[in-house]
Amino acid sequence: MPFPFILPTTSSFSFSSSFTCESHPSLTLNASTHRGVVKDSLKKHKRLPATSQGPNLPSILSNVNTYLPYLLAIDAGLSNKTVSGEEVSVVLTSTPSIEWRPTLSDHAVPGKEIARVKIQSLEYELFFILSTVGYTHTLLARSSLHPLYVTSGVPLSTQERTTAITTATRHLLDAASVHDYVARRAEGLTIAPPCADITQSTARAMSLLALAEATLLAVLKDDPYPAVVAQDRNDNDREWMYKAPEIPKVRAHLFARLCLAAADHAAQASSLCQSTGRGVPRLNEGLLRYLEDFRKTSRAKACRFFGIDAELSSQTGNALGWLRCGLQELGIESKETKRGLSLGRMKKDWSERREDKKVERGTNWGADAGKLEETRVIEMLEAKWTKINDTMLTQAIPSPGTLLATLPSGRDMHTIKPYQLPELGRESLEAMRAPPDRSDDIEDGQLSSDDERTAVATPVGAFPGTHDEYRSASTRSYY
C-alpha cells in the first residue's frame, strides 16, 4: 500500500508538425522542448533499478509540471481562449500522431510488454500527462511510507512516523484531485479512448482508490498495533529490554467507520475498473486483485477496531468474535478453529517471507494492499485475548455472521479538492511572441525507448552512413 504504479512512456513528437500559433510563434517550439524532457525522463526512469526509482520521482514530477502549462496553453489556443489574460490563437494544420505505452491495460500476451497505442488527439495527450502526475504522487506516497515497513534498520520514532504518514496523505490527496479532474473532463467525450488507462471510469476509479488509501492512512497514523508488530519482528530493536510497547487507547469506533468508508471507496473503484466500456481492453489482473485485497483489508481493520472497542468494555468474547470476522474477511483460517499443520498456513508463511524480502529490497512491496500486515496484527491480538478468555473470563464467542450483520455505515474524513491547473505566466507568454530561433523538427537521434531497441547499430569498421549495406535478411550465423 499504496498501489505500485508503473509510469507510462511515450514517443517523440513535434508540435510544429501539427500546430501553428500566430499570436505566440514560439509556443509550439517551447512545448516540444519541454515534452522532449518529459519523454527522456520517463525513459530513463523506466531503466533505473527499483532502488533508484524512488529518489528520481521528484525530478519526474517537476519535469511533467513544467511541460503541462505549455500543453494547456496550446489546448486553450485551439478554442481561442485566454491564458493569463492574453488571447492565444492556435491552428491545427494536420492530425497529430503520438504514441504512448499504457501500463494499466491487460497484457494481450502474458509475459510480453504491452504494445504502444497511437493517439491522434491533444485531449488524450493531456489525459496521459495528467495520469502520469497522479501516478507519480502515489509513488511518492509509497516512498514516504517505505521506512515504516523496513525491519532491518532502526525503528522510526513517533515523530518520524507521523511525518511520513502526513506526507504520504498529502500526495495521495493530490493524486485523487488529478484523477478526479481527468474523470470530470472525460465525461463529455463521445469517442471511445484507445486504451483503458485513460477512460472516464478508470480515472474515477483511480481517484476513489487514492481517496481510500488516504482515508486508511488517517487510521494508520493513530493505530499503534502495526508498529508494535513491526517492532517485535525487528532484530535491531532493543527497546523491549527496558520497557514494554506503549499501546494507547484508540478511538476504536471512529477508526472502524473510517475503515468501512475506505472499503466502500475500494468497492466502487473495483466495480468501475471492471466496466471500462465496449471495445476497450480490460485492466490488468494485478490492479483488480489489489482493489479486492484493499477492500478486504479495510473491512478486516474495521472488524479489528470493533474488537478493540469490545475488549476495552471487558467483552472479550465479542472481541474474539470480531477478530474472527476480520480473519474471515481476509480469507485466513483462525489458529484456534484449526490446529495442527495446514496447507493454507504453510502457504501463508511462505507468502509472508516473500513479502518481507520485497520490503527489504524495495521492489513491488505492498501489492497485497496491507493484507499480510493486518493478518499479523489480528493474529497477535487473537493469541493474547484467547489466553485471557480461556483462563479468566471464559465468555462465549459469537459467530462471525451475527456480528457482521451489525456493521454500521462508513464515515468519510477527506474530501477531494478541485485540481488547480497550472498556467503560463505573462512574462513567459510575452517572451514567446518572438519568432522561434530554431526549427522544431525531431532529430534522428531523438528516438523513443522502443525505437532505440529496434535501431540497427553501425557495424564495427563500417563507413558512416553505409550501415544498411551490412544488413542481411538471414538470421543464420556462420562460423
Side-chain angles (χ1 to χ4, degrees):
M1 174 180 128
F3 183 72
F5 287 104
I6 300 175
L7 297 182
T9 53
T10 182
S11 63
S12 299
F13 176 68
S14 170
F15 280 93
S16 297
S17 63
S18 301
F19 304 95
T20 58
C21 183
E22 299 177 356
S23 59
H24 301 78
S26 297
L27 175 60
T28 54
L29 173 63
N30 282 275
S32 299
T33 301
H34 289 289
R35 191 185 188 280
V37 174
V38 171
K39 176 190 75 72
D40 292 339
S41 60
L42 290 174
K43 178 181 66 176
K44 292 176 182 177
H45 180 82
K46 179 180 179 181
R47 296 178 177 179
L48 288 175
T51 54
S52 303
Q53 288 185 350
N56 189 54
L57 290 172
S59 174
I60 295 286
L61 187 61
S62 175
N63 293 334
V64 175
N65 283 333
T66 303
Y67 162 60
L68 190 54
Y70 294 91
L71 177 61
L72 291 170
I74 293 179
D75 180 67
L78 289 172
S79 304
N80 292 321
K81 295 180 180 178
T82 60
V83 179
S84 295
E86 290 194 20
E87 292 186 2
V88 179
S89 177
V90 177
V91 179
L92 177 68
T93 58
S94 63
T95 303
S97 179
I98 310 171
E99 291 184 350
W100 279 89
R101 184 181 297 283
T103 56
L104 297 183
S105 301
D106 196 13
H107 293 261
V109 180
K112 187 177 180 181
E113 197 172 24
I114 305 175
R116 291 190 297 182
V117 296
K118 183 177 292 185
I119 59 176
Q120 296 180 331
S121 170
L122 206 63
E123 192 76 0
Y124 294 145
E125 164 78 1
L126 180 60
F127 286 0
F128 266 111
I129 287 294
L130 289 173
S131 298
T132 303
V133 174
Y135 301 157
T136 307
H137 276 297
T138 302
L139 292 175
L140 284 169
R142 280 176 57 84
S143 298
S144 300
L145 295 173
H146 184 246
L148 273 64
Y149 299 94
V150 176
T151 59
S152 59
V154 179
L156 297 181
S157 64
T158 304
Q159 182 61 36
E160 292 173 335
R161 179 182 175 86
T162 303
T163 302
I165 294 175
T166 303
T167 303
T169 302
R170 186 179 69 251
H171 282 300
L172 288 173
L173 292 177
D174 289 342
S177 298
V178 174
H179 291 304
D180 180 69
Y181 173 80
V182 175
R184 293 179 183 275
R185 182 158 180 152
E187 289 177 354
L189 298 181
T190 57
I191 303 175
C195 65
D197 292 46
I198 54 176
T199 60
Q200 192 267 345
S201 59
T202 301
R204 177 65 62 199
M206 295 303 100
S207 177
L208 289 170
L209 175 59
L211 179 62
E213 290 169 338
T215 303
L216 220 54
L217 285 185
V219 176
L220 179 64
K221 185 170 64 174
D222 295 324
D223 184 7
Y225 294 95
V228 171
V229 172
Q231 184 178 354
D232 183 59
R233 295 169 47 248
N234 194 334
D235 295 334
N236 296 318
D237 178 56
R238 298 292 182 267
E239 191 175 290
W240 61 271
M241 294 182 175
Y242 55 89
K243 75 170 184 176
E246 295 181 0
I247 304 180
K249 291 184 179 181
V250 296
R251 295 166 290 175
H253 200 272
L254 172 62
F255 289 168
R257 294 191 61 187
L258 292 176
C259 293
L260 290 174
D264 292 340
H265 292 320
Q268 295 177 30
S270 179
S271 177
L272 288 169
C273 286
Q274 294 176 9
S275 60
T276 52
R278 183 178 299 178
V280 180
R282 62 175 298 178
L283 298 173
N284 64 61
E285 288 295 332
L287 176 60
L288 298 178
R289 186 169 54 250
Y290 175 87
L291 289 170
E292 184 61 21
D293 287 343
F294 188 92
R295 184 191 66 82
K296 293 179 179 179
T297 302
S298 299
R299 286 180 63 86
K301 281 182 181 290
C303 293
R304 169 166 66 88
F305 281 115
F306 282 125
I308 293 172
D309 187 51
E311 197 273 337
L312 291 174
S313 303
S314 300
Q315 301 175 8
T316 312
N318 286 344
L320 287 171
W322 279 114
L323 293 185
R324 292 182 183 180
C325 289
L327 291 175
Q328 178 177 302
E329 291 289 340
L330 294 171
I332 304 296
E333 296 177 350
S334 174
K335 290 182 178 179
E336 299 301 320
T337 58
K338 188 167 184 178
R339 300 178 184 272
L341 293 177
S342 170
L343 183 60
R345 281 282 158 195
M346 295 174 63
K347 182 179 179 181
K348 178 179 135 336
D349 294 340
W350 178 76
S351 300
E352 288 181 0
R353 290 193 295 268
R354 184 177 63 174
E355 183 66 21
D356 289 341
K357 290 180 181 179
K358 288 182 180 180
V359 172
E360 298 302 326
R361 293 195 299 262
T363 57
N364 203 31
W365 62 274
D368 64 342
K371 187 177 178 180
L372 171 61
E373 177 195 38
E374 187 59 29
T375 303
R376 284 171 171 164
V377 174
I378 292 179
E379 289 181 343
M380 178 196 74
L381 292 175
E382 185 187 28
K384 176 183 176 182
W385 294 347
T386 299
K387 183 181 295 185
I388 296 174
N389 195 51
D390 290 348
T391 58
M392 297 172 57
L393 301 176
T394 61
Q395 296 179 0
I397 301 175
S399 63
T402 304
L403 295 175
L404 288 175
T406 63
L407 282 176
S409 60
R411 175 180 174 181
D412 283 317
M413 181 175 183
H414 300 293
T415 56
I416 300 178
K417 296 181 179 180
Y419 177 62
Q420 299 295 328
L421 291 174
E423 251 190 5
L424 285 175
R426 279 183 171 273
E427 295 182 358
S428 300
L429 287 171
E430 287 293 337
M432 287 186 291
R433 289 188 178 276
D437 55 354
R438 56 185 173 84
S439 63
D440 188 14
D441 297 329
I442 300 175
E443 300 176 1
D444 294 337
Q446 295 180 342
L447 301 172
S448 67
S449 56
D450 292 335
D451 295 333
E452 290 183 359
R453 289 176 187 160
T454 58
V456 178
T458 303
V460 177
F463 190 78
T466 62
H467 65 277
D468 290 335
E469 300 177 9
Y470 291 83
R471 297 181 61 183
S472 174
S474 174
T475 57
R476 297 177 57 189
S477 301
Y478 296 91
Y479 298 95

